[in-house]
């Protein structure tokens, strides 16, 4: 893709590419196999400024824009989608809410260590009974003087087993009044924070995911993020940013699979000639390339719209959902085709194709399923609900 990126954008993209190829590619398959969280490489990514790309330098970040973030995240995910997941949760889901709604003290305490990569951040919205229907949550926070007492269970928390801090959403409504959801910052080292079982997963296996439980967790009132009752809008606004990250991750996985296929069809011989000379293979290559390009353009368009929205304050929900929907489905199509082109070799763990294929699936599920993205897009386009 040949767009006019700035020197700064190209610099972070190239730094991410060099690191991804030299430090992540060699360990990706082993971490996928063992499911071990790649703490060392994540720390090094923090040192390179990749764990808080859009966070101002004064809070430990790299002070760059969303286009830089997308370019860097694509490179990391092209090497390994699990590193991409951890990077995207830190950058998008954790840092965005704090940057927009955090007080000075909250940014100092909760943003600095995560943006610099010293600590891992997480985002706790989903519960066992509420995934897509996110506002139907049960975790409850009850104010008691200068403290909120929080109780209940969250599930599917990416980076949950290792995160030091979390943004957590809880009900604060009282009986007989309007339902209200509020956002809180959580320090996982305080009493009352309990980690549950770690999820065994199909893909992104090195990114740890678990349930968490809050048992009379005492959250100081000054750790409340935004106002009481503002939490659902914070959660949705943060997901608008997060979905651009997932689109970039999907583009990275798709690019990795496409590149393997493009090379393989030139080398692999069948019936006395390279398989790339067969029209059925040519059609696959052409369709994969078009979808990859379209996915990347939609993702960059969403990133640019988010950059512009900084001044106008306008929402970029539509662009973000379109990018996430299209890129995740393109990644699933492309990894499927690339594996098919490789035949038995694609099915073997000796090549990374089967990992790309497994890793792509989650991009159609987390941060809003494809069905939810279609609903969001159609609602915004028609005004109907
Ligand atoms: N930005 C700001 N405000 C928003 C918003 C947005 N993007 N989307 C909705 N809102 C506001 C609405 O304007 C509305 O405000 P008013 O009441 O003032 O009008 C309010 O929020 C409620 O909106 P809806 O009526 O549209 O809410 P809904 O209950 O119908 O739900 C939904 C909408 C789109 C289905 C939403 O629930 C959703 O996105 N669900 C999917 C949740 C999701 O993505 N979960 C992923 C979990 S995170 C994850 O995967 C993490 C991980 O670890 C990687």
């Amino acid at each position: 893709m040949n767009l006019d990126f700035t020197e700064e954008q190209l610099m972070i993209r190239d730094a991410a590419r060099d690191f991804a190829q030299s430090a992540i590619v060699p360990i990706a398959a082993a971490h996928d196999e063992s499911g071990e969280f790649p703490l060392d490489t994540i720390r090094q990514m923090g040192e390179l400024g990749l764990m808080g790309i859009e966070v101002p330098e004064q809070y430990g970040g790299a002070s760059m824009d969303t286009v830089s973030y997308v370019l860097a995240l694509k490179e990391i995910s092209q090497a390994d989608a699990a590193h991409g997941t951890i990077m995207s949760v830190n950058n998008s889901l954790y840092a965005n809410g704090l940057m927009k709604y955090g007080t000075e003290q909250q940014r100092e305490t909760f943003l600095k260590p995560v943006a610099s990569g010293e600590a891992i951040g997480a985002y706790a919205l989903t519960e066992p009974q509420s995934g897509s229907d996110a506002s139907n949550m049960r975790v409850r926070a009850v104010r008691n003087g200068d403290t909120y007492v929080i109780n209940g269970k969250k599930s599917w928390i990416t980076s949950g087993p290792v995160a030091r801090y979390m943004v957590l959403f809880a009900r604060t409504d009282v009986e007989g009044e309007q339902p209200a959801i509020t956002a809180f910052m959580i320090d996982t080292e305080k009493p009352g924070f309990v980690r549950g079982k770690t999820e065994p997963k199909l893909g992104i296996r090195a990114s740890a995911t678990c349930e968490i439980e809050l048992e009379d967790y005492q959250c100081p009132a000054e750790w409340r993020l935004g106002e009481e009752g503002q939490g659902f809008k914070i959660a949705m606004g943060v997901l608008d940013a997060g979905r651009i990250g997932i689109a970039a991750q999907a583009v990275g996985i798709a690019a990795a699979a496409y590149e393997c296929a493009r090379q393989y069809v030139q080398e692999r011989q069948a019936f006395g000639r390279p398989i790339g000379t067969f029209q059925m293979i040519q059609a696959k290559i052409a369709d994969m390339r078009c979808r990859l390009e379209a996915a990347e353009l939609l993702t960059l368009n969403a990133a640019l719209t988010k950059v512009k929205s900084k001044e106008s304050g306008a929402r970029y929900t539509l662009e973000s959902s379109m990018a996430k929907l299209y890129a995740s489905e393109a990644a699933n199509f492309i990894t499927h085709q690339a594996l098919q082109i490789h035949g038995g070799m694609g099915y073997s763990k000796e090549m990374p194709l089967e990992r790309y294929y497994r890793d792509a699936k989650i991009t159609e599920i987390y941060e809003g399923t494809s069905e939810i993205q279609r609903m969001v897009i159609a609602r915004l386009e028609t005004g109907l609900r």
Side-chain angles (χ1 to χ4, degrees), residues 54-134:
E54 295 172 77
V55 175
E57 269 172 43
Q58 69 186 112
Y59 302 115
S63 280
M64 290 185 180
D65 66 2
T66 314
V67 173
S68 310
Y69 170 51
V70 157
L71 293 174
L73 182 51
K74 177 196 163 194
E75 294 298 331
I76 297 297
S77 305
Q78 190 161 344
D80 178 37
H83 280 78
T85 299
I86 302 159
M87 174 176 165
S88 97
V89 171
N90 250 44
N91 276 273
S92 321
L93 293 188
Y94 184 84
N96 264 284
L98 272 168
M99 282 196 288
K100 193 159 175 191
Y101 299 97
T103 62
E104 194 54 36
Q105 192 205 354
Q106 287 172 347
R107 290 177 187 177
E108 281 291 328
T109 311
F110 298 109
L111 192 51
K112 251 187 179 170
V114 172
S116 63
E118 281 161 42
I120 307 286
Y123 175 90
L125 176 70
T126 301
E127 297 182 7
Q129 80 296 336
S130 62
S132 291
D133 186 8

Side-chain angles (χ1 to χ4, degrees), residues 126 132 158 233 236 240 243 317 366-368 379 385:
T126 301
S132 291
T158 302
K233 287 187 186 176
M236 292 297 112
D240 287 343
R243 288 166 184 167
T317 309
Y366 62 12
E367 301 202 25
R379 278 183 179 181
R385 295 176 57 91

